[in-house]
Each structure stands twice: as structure tokens, then as C-alpha cells.
Amino acid sequence: HCVTGVQTCALPISRIAALPSTISGVPLQKIYRPRNGGRGAAVRDGFQLAISQWCGFLDVDLEVDFRWLRPTVERLQQGAHGVIGSRRYSSRDPRPDRVMYSLLYRAVARRSLGLPVADSECGFKFFRRDLILPVLAQTKDNGWFFDTELVYRATKAGLGLERSEEH
């Protein structure tokens, strides 16, 4: 099985070419965008070009480790419409202000928008491609709010989103 992953980062093409073609035995497809149009644009492009049944993305900071990719694909194979990661923070985090703002945003977004997952901003999201493409077509934001908008619209469209195990 193949999973298309979209990674939004400012890497030169030589570094992108050096990235692995498989992770945990799962083939990956790499796409280079010469101009950064934001995460939303990169995800839309990647998901449109995907040839796999499932597609997703993860952040370059790898707050959620690659090792969670295979169990995520297995959950999609078992019928999940989407799997959203969830970050676990430590009291030893070097940026306590970032942790505080993240936890506050999580609580506000979840309560005010009725989101089914605790961490809509987590940069680890994988979906059934056929179900997420119509949702992606409705998204407007390309920047920071993209993740929350995607989870909100997917929920409103009736997609069964599951939270990945704690990371």
C-alpha cells in the first residue's frame, strides 16, 4: 500500500531528493513546490496528485514520530475515515509559553467548534483520499488556521475522525 505524505517546509530540492522514499516499509511520494504557498496549498496539491487510497501530512519538526505511520495506515485500512495525531507535552518542554498557548487553543477550538479530536493543530493527519478531497476543496485558509478548518469541515461533512494514540 502507498500513502502520499505532504510535508510543508522550506528545503532545497537537493534535500528533498535525499529524503527517504519509504518509511517503515510504506512508500512515500515527494513533491517539490518552488514557492511556499502555505500548508493549505501544499496539502491540496499533494492530495490532488496522490495516487494512493490514503493521504496525509506530518510536520517537519516530527512532534509525532514516523513510527506512528504504519499503525495509522492500519486504522485507515480497518475503516477509519481519518486519523489525527495528538501531541503530548512535558513539563520539561523548552518553550512553556508555546505549550500553554497550544493547550489553550486546543480547548477553545474543541469547545467552540465541536471538534471530535483534542489536538486539531497536530501536524499528523491522514485520511481516506476519496473522502477528504471534497472537504479540501471547501477550505479557504492556507496558513496557520488551515488544520483547524480542515478538521472542522471534515467533521461537518460526516467523516469519522479518530484520534491517534498519544505520542
Side-chain angles (χ1 to χ4, degrees), residues 15 126 130 153:
R15 292 273 315 273
F126 287 81
D130 63 329
R153 290 185 183 278

Side-chain angles (χ1 to χ4, degrees), residues 104-117:
L104 179 62
Y105 182 81
R106 280 186 198 185
V108 169
R110 188 167 190 193
R111 284 200 177 121
S112 63
L113 299 174
L115 302 179
V117 295

